[in-house]
Amino acid sequence: MTAINPQKGRVIFHIDMNCFYASVEAAYNTALKGKPLAIAGNPEERKGIVVTSSYEARKKGVKTTMTIWQAKKNCPELIIMPPNFERYRAASRELFRILSEITPDVQPVSIDEGYMDITNVNSELSPLDLADELQKRILDELDLPCSIGIAPNKFLAKMASDMKKPLGITVLRKRELHLTLWPLPIGEMYGVGEKTAAKLVEKGIETIGDLANYDAYELKQMLGINGERLKNRANGIDNRPVDPEAIFEFKSIGSSQTLPFDTVDEQEIRKLIAVLSENVERRMGRKNAAGQSIQIMIRYQDRKTITRSKKLYRYIDAKDEIMHEAEELFHKHWNQEPVRLLGITVQDVEVKKNIATQLDLFTYEREAEKEKLYQAIEGLSEKYGKDVFKKLDAVNDDDQPRTSFQKDFLDDYKK
Amino acid sequence: MKFIIQRDQLIASVQDVMKAISSRTVIPILTGMKIEAKESGITLTGSDSDISIESFIPAEENGNVNVEQIEEGSIVLQAKYFPDIVRKLPEKTVEIEADENLKVTIRSGKAEFNLNGQDAEEYPQLPKLQTNDSFELPIDLLKSLIKQTVFAVSTMETRPILTGVNIKLENGNLVFTATDSHRLASREIPVSEAPGQLPTVVVPGKSLNELNKILDDTEETVEISVTNNQILFRTKNLNFLSRLLDGNYPETSRLIPEQSKTVLHVKTKELLSTIDRASLLAKEERNNVVRLSTRGNGLIEITSNSPEVGTVAEEITVPSISGEELKISFSSKYMIDALKAIEYEEVKVEFTGAMRPFIIRPANDDPILQLILPVRTY
């Protein structure tokens, strides 16, 4: 057996699950197959928006971020389900397990997509056949559809997987970019958001091809370093490696929530700060981490948003400490206007086993007071293994992530 | 001014005096070295205004002639060039001559340097200390007091007082204490001919380091005199003057635990080399952490790990161990410093818990105390 592509440079796959949440629900309950299905957050409150929907629902005009009310109007027979993150996490874990059986060079990007570098995979199959087999296996074993993009780098692989859904396999070759990639409208380019697209269109850049051939200097003036990067990508240049560890690197852990009603009621705000602090504590606990700075975000009624942060002299990880610091910051920076959303983030986060705090002769008494507790934890850890407290948490249903963009889903991947 | 001097004597004195001279000083003339010739001998002076050193070369000593043909006078020479010139001169004697125009000629064999000097009148007068409050110590004892404590001073200016060594004399005992707030070193010795009372002073660690380098390990004595802002160490041919640090030294004695929960006797060298090995994987940015665990059956284990690198573990059989089981993490650097300072083959280590300071003493109960604050790990 030989490596798939020994002389011709890299071969990257981008695996993108199709309508992931809806597909997982349909896999659990086959009665849902072929029906218009939407997953939506808390239906009663204003957060009740469509998170994702099946292709059947999309055909009827249901779109992500639409309110439930509007979605129902477009598609009266729409089935609406609340998210069940535990299921999605489990499915995601299985997915990445399958991917990592092919190569260790797997980089999860989110709960339902990831890159693979198969350059060094020893196989008699061509990349196309390998992708085909992988897609079938995911469908057979997990009952989940996915699309796969094959290309010499991450950007093109990502663009490729997007070209044919569901169950597509698309190869983007560099020499064919003028036929495959360049005709696409600029807004469809990965990395070009609404605002960037508007700026580019204003300059007459309507397609990815226009961007590829635009003057580099002018782009840099317009978009800074990102302009240069986007032009390179449009020309099929992207040297980023597939980094299996990237998802595990985290520098901050946070939680934010919109209030049911905009408020100036300090009791309400205090309650929310408590909830957010608890969320952050739980997430830090899951990662066995502690952090050295705290940041708060306040969004006001008029959507004006401020973030303020503060460096702490010690590592914190407990709810009380987080809450204390967050409240202090809040009261220092709050302008008394009605608050719509609050966020708390602990930054400069390190895994606890990498944190060591040198005690101080003049202040050690404070730390020493907690000695008994640490001893108890240590004793239990030795007796029942390091994960004793994490395991307790994992049993608790409350411990599951509540939002789709969190990367916590992968905490157990590779353990 | 003129004299002929033995080159070796001159080199030794120049080297000592250079310890006080800094090229970065606010008073320009202090970048120079003052040379003063009198019938009795030659005095070299250097100062950076924190430390001032005077070294005296007697014209005659023990029947040997060090300096000849002395014509009295004084001059200040650029310290940047003078030491190297003296070191590289060809012959065993050096002739130094300064004229009224501050031109200096240095001759040795056929080599002749002509240098521009500066007027010694412009060189600041060193303060004259009243020597009422003074006492004597053998030099080798002073040197070991310094060596056993000065390494523990703080190198950070956040609490300036901790950059010095606290010296106090009470009840006929002389006590040196230094701490950077993460470890503390202290040594106590009885002083026989002590004055009743001496002001408690804090001497900059840097000064004591320099003094330690200059003093030869002899059994001759050094006379120590203290005023409220200066301390003078005087030996037969040397005056070492240092400013004192302003401010109150924190009371540390109450922070030193009096009871212990785990007591360990261990061979100093064995513990030192084990910790030294374990520290190979301990990283500086993570406080050089190593971990000590009691293992029962007279065993302790030293471990360390670095997530990206690997782990190390080593057991030591100890002569005795008593009290509670213990697991404690601490900086290997502090431990190595402390063990090196103790200079005794067996040490007693007393712990009072994983989050509290522990104490290392020589097993023979010499009043040397090394205290280390542990590192809290999660």
Side-chain angles (χ1 to χ4, degrees), chain B residues 32-96:
Chain B
M33 184 180 296
K34 184 173 143 189
I35 301 171
E36 188 175 17
K38 286 193 170 158
E39 272 309 316
S40 56
I42 308 298
T43 303
L44 305 182
T45 306
S47 174
D48 66 359
S49 75
D50 283 347
I51 302 173
S52 303
I53 299 172
E54 276 182 358
S55 178
F56 180 66
I57 306 167
E60 276 187 56
E61 193 179 29
N62 308 327
N64 297 326
V65 176
N66 295 325
V67 195
E68 293 173 292
Q69 300 181 28
I70 301 173
E71 291 171 22
E72 294 196 347
S74 56
I75 191 81
V76 175
L77 273 180
Q78 272 302 313
K80 193 175 170 193
Y81 304 104
F82 186 54
D84 285 341
I85 291 172
V86 172
R87 207 168 24 240
K88 294 189 175 175
L89 287 174
E91 296 295 326
K92 286 200 166 141
T93 57
V94 181
E95 181 188 323
I96 298 179

Side-chain angles (χ1 to χ4, degrees), chain B residues 154-344:
Chain B
S154 171
T155 51
M156 311 238 271
E157 289 295 333
T158 44
R159 268 184 95 175
I161 197 78
L162 296 185
T163 62
V165 175
N166 178 229
I167 300 177
K168 63 183 172 187
L169 189 62
E170 51 182 26
N171 313 322
N173 280 326
L174 180 69
V175 189
F176 276 45
T177 306
T179 180
D180 59 6
S181 88
H182 298 140
R183 33 80 179 269
L184 177 146
S186 136
R187 170 85 196 268
E188 209 175 303
I189 54 153
V191 189
S192 46
E193 300 153 39
Q197 212 54 45
L198 197 71
T200 292
V201 295
V202 184
V203 186
K206 182 172 173 290
S207 302
L208 293 177
N209 274 321
E210 299 300 346
L211 177 64
N212 183 46
K213 282 186 216 157
I214 292 173
L215 292 178
D216 291 323
D217 233 331
T218 68
E219 284 168 15
E220 287 172 32
T221 58
V222 53
E223 183 192 61
I224 303 172
S225 320
V226 175
T227 66
N228 36 358
N229 58 10
Q230 303 271 357
I231 186 166
L232 172 67
F233 299 88
R234 187 208 296 271
T235 67
K236 203 168 57 187
N237 291 325
L238 186 81
N239 281 344
F240 185 104
L241 190 71
S242 168
R243 89 184 154 95
L244 296 173
L245 292 176
D246 266 345
N248 291 323
Y249 200 79
E251 180 51 59
T252 51
S253 55
R254 67 178 175 81
L255 297 167
I256 297 168
E258 286 171 353
Q259 287 149 357
S260 55
K261 290 181 178 165
T262 312
V263 182
L264 199 70
H265 281 82
V266 57
K267 297 279 180 223
T268 314
K269 217 175 151 191
E270 209 177 343
L271 183 59
L272 183 62
S273 42
T274 303
I275 290 185
D276 200 19
R277 274 189 290 277
S279 74
L280 293 174
L281 296 192
K283 288 206 172 167
E284 194 178 353
E285 62 269 27
R286 289 181 186 145
N287 305 86
N288 298 302
V289 181
V290 296
R291 192 165 168 83
L292 180 152
S293 321
T294 55
R295 276 275 177 261
N297 298 326
L299 282 179
I300 59 169
E301 187 186 46
I302 305 292
T303 54
S304 180
N305 78 84
S306 198
E308 308 82 28
V309 188
T311 63
V312 49
E314 182 171 345
E315 281 184 344
I316 310 177
T317 310
V318 295
S320 98
I321 183 170
S322 62
E324 296 177 5
E325 298 258 294
L326 178 79
K327 290 180 177 55
I328 188 166
S329 300
F330 50 81
S331 153
S332 55
K333 180 183 181 299
Y334 294 163
M335 190 66 166
I336 290 168
D337 285 350
L339 291 172
K340 277 186 180 159
I342 281 187
E343 297 177 329
Y344 194 78

Side-chain angles (χ1 to χ4, degrees), chain A residues 290 315 317 350 352-362 364-365 367-371 374 378 382, chain B residues 159 179 181-182 184 250 255 286-287 289 291 307 327 334 353-357 371 373-378:
Chain A
Y315 280 94
D317 64 333
E350 257 287 5
K352 276 185 184 172
K353 69 172 187 207
N354 292 345
I355 300 174
T357 313
Q358 171 66 54
L359 300 184
D360 185 294
L361 181 60
F362 303 103
Y364 76 89
E365 297 277 356
E367 293 282 337
E369 279 167 20
K370 298 180 188 163
E371 195 168 5
Y374 296 132
E378 187 144 292
E382 296 233 322
Chain B
R159 268 184 95 175
T179 180
S181 88
H182 298 140
L184 177 146
L255 297 167
R286 289 181 186 145
N287 305 86
V289 181
R291 192 165 168 83
K327 290 180 177 55
Y334 294 163
M355 308 289 281
R356 289 169 191 277
L371 173 145
L373 272 295
V375 165
R376 177 188 162 185
T377 54
Y378 288 83

